[in-house]
Structure formats: structure tokens, C-alpha cells
Amino acid sequence: LDWWHADRYCEQRFAQLLVEPQGSERASFSKLLQSHHIRGSVWLNERDGVLHKPKRRRNHIVPVLVFGDKTDTKYVKVLSDFPALPAVTACAHLQWDTRTQEIATIFSYAVPAFINEFQLRGFVDEEGFVRFALIVHEHHSPYLPVFRADGQWHHFCVTWQQENGTWSIYADGKRRASASGLCAVGSAPQAIYGQGTFIIGQDQDSLGGSFKEKESFSGNITDLHIWQKVLSVEQIEKVRSCWVVEQDLVFRWSSNTLEVESTVQEVTAQFLCPGPVEECRVFEVGSSGFSYASCLQTLPFICLYRKDAYWQLKKAHLESSHSFVSRVNTLAERTVIPESVFTSYVQDVNLSVALGALGVLATVLKEGETPVLESSDLLSVLQLLKQVSDVEVQEGEELEMLEQLGQYYVEVTELILEEQNIETWSSVSQVIRGPMAVVELCDRMVSLLAPLLTAGRTKIMVQHGNVGLHRVVVKNMWFGYSSLQRCLSSAGNTAVFQDVAASDGGQKYLSTMVGTAVISAALLSDYQEISTSVRYRLQHHVQIVISMCFPWVFLLHVSPDAGGMWSTAGCSVVTSLPDSTTCFCNHTTNFAVLLQVYEMQRTTKEELTLQTLTFIGCGVSFCALIVTFILFLAVGVPKSERTTVHTNLIFALAAAEALLMFSELAKTNPVVCFMVTAFLHLFFMAAFSWMLVEGLLLWSKVVAVNMSEDKRMKFYYVTGWGFPVVIVGVTLATSFDKYVADNHCWLNIQTNVIWAFVGPVLFILAVNTFVLFRVVMVTVSSARRRSKMLTPNSSLENQIGIQIWATAKPILVLLPVLGLTWVCGVLVHLSVVWAYVFIVLNSLQGLYIFLVYAVYNSEVRNAIQRMKDKKKA
């Protein structure tokens, strides 16, 4: 195969081309190859990285002008207004008519001042070469040979610039002639005048006319472009390969911009663009030396495997059930995926075939019949993704198909990164070094979307789940946190830095992890990537961290499947916040923020102190609540909405406090611990629900009354007990196996189960905060009016004091009752001090309730006084 197909052949088999043997190995390796009847040259892998030339020639559909025999009538006029040209480049593909040796004018540009202002002409010499001469300001360069008159298509470019009259002629990517001085002698250099007449195929002896048969062109011409600058050698090579350089382009080849004389034939042809002129390294088997050969030459090659990767591939193939591959091939009614990566063959997949294959693959992956991919299945999917990313998009193909292909590609990528495939990724870790290989494949795929960009459509976005492609002149790509994080965590060998456990400042080191989405960015110019600096900000998914900016570096010089590593080279942290990190990098690539995760580590003394405070506080709170509950039942407090709500709150909170005090004793018995957790969840939810009812009751008394007392009580009972029962029931039904934490009889904080408690609590605290704010506003307003009525002449200091007390009193009384002291729980992870504050405030919540609802409650005191009076009587 040629070098490009040989390289692709090995890559699709998860191998690489033969690496250059070291000095001591060359002779023995040469003998080994000869023993297998391999002679001559063998392709070698490029040590300096993968070649970035096109992998094969492009089919280019263009209008071609066919000039038959030489006449004085055939011409094509360019319908374009040319500006003044201080520098110019004109390029085209040309097929010369070899039947005549007379001078032929390829194009002529005339202005009133100079009829021969800018002209290119040529003829075939006696040795069979086509010679070109360039004319500027009626000054003529010599005729110089540029290419053979062989009847084949050739590419030419001519350049000229005003400074020194420097000019060059290129043919087939090579500079054939160049000199200076092509300008008026004895005067300041002039630019080529604008607003002239440009004729293809004839020499103008007057402006736009007076053609002569003997100077006319015969042959075929296409892809003529003109720039208002001198193109570089690299740009000329791009133009030669049918890529248009957009910068400073003043004329683009198109049928709509040409006035074609009726006898000139215009045909639309599929033009095979010239291929790359790259040379690749080869190993000479007989001489054990090295040389270079054209990359398009067909030579033998050898695919090289790492030993551990080869045996892992063998194991995957032998252990495969082949059910997934069979379903895909059956649904497609052809062989989309071969049964073994070793028996696959290289084929150039076109757009239609690739679309059908990925569509079938996406359908089977979504069926759910195979919840977990086997190792061989994952490798087969990756092999197909490699194939599709090498698709050549031909001009004229339906762009809707290309966009749908991008959608399928992203969809398949998302499906193989599902959580259930974590173990599968680990099982092929020697073949594919982690899921970042998918990022590299998507980066290749996104470049195929270039034809979708037009003047009317400046950006493209393709997304499925947590994976997306976004292509504009800046090429972006992102992988959501959930799509890569789990797989990356399982593939510890993808990161080459060392994780060193540490404990410092009361924090325990846990790990270094990818803590954000993974993004990719590249800047494109003429569809080629160029390097530039980039500044980006990514949000964390873990908060107790030390953040670092890491681009991912692919080891392409080893193998596309060799993975890569996170490297800080060229990147630095600009700002680091608890929830996000801003980075600056002096290059574009794949980016993420790696987070060193810590958890709060308390000393044994601190843990003991907190446990003691919790037990004492809960004991005091429980006793206070029980006394208050008994008083409400025993002393004959008159029944009302308020006393009923108070009683239910006290009961729920007392039950929760009692279970909390003895929950540590239940850890040894899983069944008892589970039941304690469920009842703790229920009674704490009930306690908070009745705190919400307290807030609603307060609102109805102070701010507004919207329903009757009977309806209100039914609503209060549904909220206070029905709401907690529903939450606990739904949580148990959906997360039974993940319900209890590992080391405590409480909800599992490592899963989403904890949100079945935290979510409703945050909602209740938000509502009660608003209620407290409105109550304080009403209280302050009432106190201000009362103060003005009773003591209108009081001093400003007295009025301020009254208002401060009117504000502080409801806050001090209502904070614990409405549960707002639980807001301190948000700050516990920051410092052990907040843990002490949180435990003290909430452990004494029962004592607060005893003081507010019993000791300072006039209804309770009156009921006790009535009991005393009755005893005396």
C-alpha cells in the first residue's frame, strides 16, 4: 500500500507502522525480513509525528473551459472589477494542446494606459517543454520552460509585486523561474492598474478586442483564481491541491462570473486534484539502511504491536460472544463490523456507507439488549469510528447527510461512554489508553464538517447528551463532566503524574481527578490548524480542591491509541475560585481542570468533643421537648390551631432527637440501622414540615388569611405528615440499595439519596426565611406606629431603641422555631468551628421551644394557674 493507507491499515488494527530499528538491531531485523521473503523497501513510521498532508487525492467538481482549435473568435471574459494590484498571484489548472507550437495567450489584462498590462503566454519548444513568459506594463520576461507538453493536467501560478518588479512562475508546486526588474525603467514602480478588462484565451490588441488566431489559446483550463498579494510556497501548494486561500482573493473561479463566447465549450468535470508531494522514510531490507520514497508509492509494510496490547486484543477476541457484532451486521444486511480486528481490511468508506453504518450502530446501542459492551464490542465500535473519521467528503455530496453523520458520530460516542461500560474500558486499557482516545477521534471528525460552513451559516453545533461538536472558524468540542469522568477515573494509567497522599492543615488528601468538563479548541485558517493562545474558565464539580490547569497531550508519535497525558506545559492558573478556575494557555488543544480533592479531617479529640456535645445537647433538647409535650397534654391548654401545630412539631422533633442519640448503637446490625435511618429520615422530615406549617400559620396570623380554619388544619396535617411519608416512600422505592451510608445510620451522602432530605429542607428554609422577613417588616411597622401614638415626643434615641427591639424580638423568638438555625449546616465543611456552632444551636432547639411555648406562653401559665386555683378550691 502507499504510506497513507499503510498507516491507516495499522491504526485501524490498533497498531502502528514499523518503528525505525536501532543500530544494533538493524542487521538482525533485516535478516528476519529476508527470511520471510521480504525484499527492497519497507515503510517506516514517522518519528516526528503523523504527517498532516491530505491522505489521498480530492475529487473536485468544477467548470472546465474547452478551447478547441486556435481561432480569433473564441474567448472568455471575466466579469469582475479588479482593483489596483501592487502585488498579484494568478493560478490555474491547465491542459496544453500539443498539436501546435505557435504562441498561445493563456490570459490577457488590458487597461487604457497599457493594452498589455498583465499577460501570460507560452509555446511548446523543440524539446517538448511548454515555455511561459509574463508581461507586466508591456515589459516582457524571457520564455522559460515550466512543464512538459505531455497532454496531462498541470498546475501553474504566476506572481508579481510592485517593489523591484519581482516575479516568479510555479508549475506543479515547484518554482520554475523567478527574477526582478519586470517594471518601467527609470521611474517609480507602478501597481497594475485597476478597472481593466480580463480575457481568457486571447491577446487583446485593443481594449477587449482585436484578437488574432495565431496568438489564441487551445487546450483546457479551469480553477483560475487571482489574489491581490504574492502567495507563499505553502499557500501555492494548498491551491494546487484545490484548496482556495480566501485572504486577499479578488477573483474566484465560477461559471457565474464568466462571459463565455458561444463557440467555447463549458463542461462540468470531476477533476482529480494533485496529491501530496511528501516523501516518507523507508527501511532498506538488503542494506539495513534508510532512505526516502514518495508517500504515494506502493510498498510492503509491517504493523507493530506492543506485546501487552496484542495479548489483550487476542483475549478480547477469544472471549467474545459476537452477539453484538451479529446484531449490527444483521440489521445492516452487510458486514459493517468484522468479527475480529485482526481480520479487518482497509477500505475507503464514502459518506453514504459511513452514514448507514453509524445509523445502524446507534440503533443497536440504544436497544438496551446489551446493557454492557464486551471488550471486543468496544474495540469494534472504536474501529468503525476510526474508519468514519477518515471519510473524504466529495464536492457535490448532500450536506444533510454530512450533518446527520456528525449527529450519529456524537450519539455513538456518548453511548460508549455510559457508566455501565467503565469496566470494559479498563479491560482494554493496554490497547486504548483510556477514553481520551475518543476525544482525539471526535477532533478528527469535527474537521469533516467544514463544507457545512457557508456565508449564511457561520457555525455548526451537533450535540447528544454530554458530548458535542461546535465548528466555526474556531473549532470547539466538549465532553460533559459525567461522560468522561467515570471512565477516566477507572483508567488510572492515562495520567502520568504521581498522586502523593498528604495530610496538612486538617485536610486529608483523597485523589487527583478531572473535576470539570473536557473541552477542545483549535483555530483554523484555510482549514488548517494554527497555534494561538487561549483563556478559558471551567466550573468545578468538586469544591474542596486545589485546582490546576492541564492540557491533554496526545502521544501521536507513538500511536493514536497510546493515549496521552495531562501536562501543565504552557498553561497557568489565572484565578481559582471554589466553584471555578480560569486558565491561560499559550496553545490550543484539549483542556480540563484537574482538582486535588481533600476532605475535612478532624482529630480524635475534635470528634470526641463533637459527639459529646451532640449527645448532651440532644439529651437536654429531648427532655425539654418531652416536658413541653406533657404540659400541653396535662394542664389543659385550650385547643387551637396554634397549640395543635406546636404539639405535632414537638412530637416529631422529640422522636427524631431520641433516634439520633441512639443511632450509633445500631451500626452493628444492618437491618436495625436501615430501620433507624428510615425513621430518622421520616421524623426529621416531619419536624421540618411542621416548621414549615409554623411559618404558614404565622403568615396567616400576621400577614394574610385566605381560608377557613377547618381547611387550614387539613392542609397542615397533609403538609406535616403526608409530605414526609411520600418523600421517604419514594426514596426507598427508587434507591433501596443506596439508601444507607457506609459508616453511619443516616442517608448515603455519596449518592443522590441525600437530596431526598437536603432538597426539601432547603425549600422549607427558603420559605420560612421569607415569612420571617415579612413578619419582621410588619412588626417594625406596627411598633413605629404605636411609638408615635403613645410617646409622640420621645427622643430619637428612644425611637431607634424601640425599633431595634421590635426587630430583634421576633428574630430571636422565631429563628429556632422556624428551623433557620439549620442554615449553619451549609458552613460546617469550612471549619470545625462552624460544626460546634451548628451542634450547639440545633441541639438546644428543644430548649428554645420549651422556653417559648411553655415558660413564656401565657396560655400554658394560665392553665397551670387554673389548676392551682382548682386544687385550692
Side-chain angles (χ1 to χ4, degrees), residues 167-458:
W167 60 275
S168 297
I169 299 177
Y170 293 82
D172 299 326
K174 303 291 185 180
R175 186 163 59 184
R176 306 298 183 182
S178 65
S180 60
L182 195 59
C183 57
V185 179
S187 62
Q190 297 276 335
I192 293 175
Y193 290 101
Q195 307 305 315
T197 302
F198 197 106
I199 299 292
I200 302 173
Q202 292 286 358
D203 176 20
Q204 304 174 63
D205 284 342
S206 64
L207 196 62
S210 301
F211 307 139
K212 295 178 181 178
E213 177 183 330
K214 65 178 182 178
E215 294 180 340
S216 65
F217 173 73
S218 62
N220 305 322
I221 188 170
T222 187
D223 254 1
L224 174 65
H225 296 84
I226 302 172
W227 292 264
Q228 191 180 3
K229 72 168 187 175
V230 174
L231 296 186
S232 67
V233 175
E234 292 77 13
Q235 290 173 321
I236 288 174
E237 177 62 23
K238 289 180 184 178
V239 173
R240 177 175 172 265
S241 298
C242 306
W243 294 106
V244 179
V245 176
E246 300 289 345
Q247 186 179 8
D248 295 321
L249 183 68
V250 295
F251 172 70
R252 178 192 292 270
W253 184 252
S254 170
S255 298
N256 300 326
T257 56
L258 299 174
E259 178 188 297
V260 183
E261 193 268 332
S262 59
T263 59
V264 177
Q265 188 179 1
E266 183 181 10
V267 298
T268 300
Q270 181 169 296
F271 182 69
L272 188 63
C273 295
V277 294
E278 190 79 45
E279 290 187 330
C280 300
R281 282 173 67 82
V282 293
F283 176 67
E284 301 293 349
V285 177
S287 63
S288 303
F290 303 101
S291 62
Y292 287 88
S294 169
C295 297
L296 293 176
Q297 188 176 344
T298 55
L299 292 175
F301 64 95
I302 297 169
C303 293
L304 183 67
Y305 287 91
R306 298 189 317 277
K307 188 182 293 185
D308 49 3
Y310 178 81
W311 289 116
Q312 204 166 71
L313 280 168
K314 276 287 194 183
K315 181 181 178 183
H317 174 63
L318 292 173
E319 294 178 354
S320 174
S321 64
H322 302 297
S323 60
F324 172 78
V325 173
S326 298
R327 283 209 313 280
V328 172
N329 293 336
T330 301
L331 185 61
E333 297 181 347
R334 66 181 187 86
T335 303
V336 171
I337 301 177
E339 289 194 352
S340 170
V341 296
F342 294 108
T343 58
S344 65
Y345 59 94
V346 172
Q347 57 179 340
D348 291 334
V349 180
N350 62 36
L351 184 58
S352 177
V353 172
L355 182 63
L358 276 193
V360 169
L361 183 58
T363 301
V364 173
L365 286 171
K366 288 188 293 186
E367 281 178 354
E369 295 180 17
T370 309
V372 180
L373 290 174
E374 296 179 1
S375 301
S376 60
D377 300 338
L378 178 59
L379 293 171
S380 297
V381 172
L382 289 171
Q383 188 176 31
L384 183 59
L385 291 178
K386 286 169 179 281
Q387 244 181 333
V388 172
S389 65
D390 286 328
V391 165
E392 288 281 343
V393 180
Q394 308 298 341
E395 294 187 22
E397 291 187 297
E398 296 183 15
L399 298 183
E400 292 80 7
M401 293 173 61
L402 179 58
E403 190 159 4
Q404 184 60 55
L405 181 69
Q407 183 63 48
Y408 282 148
Y409 202 95
V410 170
E411 191 172 345
V412 170
T413 299
E414 168 74 8
L415 291 169
I416 64 175
L417 290 173
E418 292 286 349
E419 184 177 2
Q420 65 264 25
N421 294 321
I422 292 175
E423 293 301 322
T424 309
W425 280 99
S426 298
S427 68
V428 294
S429 60
Q430 298 302 323
V431 181
I432 298 291
R433 296 298 179 91
M436 285 298 291
V438 175
V439 177
E440 196 271 334
L441 287 175
C442 285
D443 193 52
R444 285 156 58 177
M445 177 62 201
V446 75
S447 297
L448 295 181
L449 302 181
L452 295 176
L453 294 173
T454 62
R457 187 181 188 187
T458 57

Side-chain angles (χ1 to χ4, degrees), residues 543 758 762 765 821-830 834 838:
Q543 289 197 339
V758 174
L762 290 176
L765 293 180
T821 52
W822 282 74
V823 175
C824 296
V826 178
L827 307 174
V828 164
H829 72 280
L830 296 178
W834 285 109
F838 177 68

Side-chain angles (χ1 to χ4, degrees), residues 83-88 109 111 117-118 136-137 160 162 190-194:
L85 302 171
V88 65
Y109 177 72
V111 296
E117 174 69 347
F118 180 44
V136 178
H137 297 325
W160 176 88
Q162 176 181 334
Q190 297 276 335
I192 293 175
Y193 290 101

Side-chain angles (χ1 to χ4, degrees), residues 12-76:
Q12 289 184 6
R13 293 172 175 231
F14 304 98
Q16 58 176 316
L17 275 177
L18 176 66
V19 178
E20 177 183 318
Q22 298 302 313
S24 59
E25 302 172 347
R26 291 178 187 176
S28 58
F29 188 72
S30 182
K31 289 180 181 179
L32 177 65
L33 295 181
Q34 290 179 48
S35 67
H36 287 81
H37 309 290
I38 298 175
R39 300 286 189 274
S41 302
V42 177
W43 288 127
L44 285 177
N45 198 2
E46 293 292 325
R47 281 199 173 275
D48 296 332
V50 177
L51 298 176
H52 295 291
K53 294 286 184 180
K55 295 195 174 178
R56 57 194 170 104
R57 297 186 175 192
R58 295 178 64 239
N59 284 327
H60 188 47
I61 299 175
V62 287
V64 177
L65 299 178
V66 179
F67 293 85
D69 296 332
K70 296 167 73 71
T71 70
D72 59 0
T73 58
K74 293 179 180 179
Y75 75 93
V76 175

Side-chain angles (χ1 to χ4, degrees), residues 562-583:
M565 60 183 178
W566 295 110
S567 167
T568 56
C571 289
S572 60
V573 175
V574 178
T575 57
S576 180
L577 301 174
D579 64 336
S580 65
T581 297
T582 301
C583 303

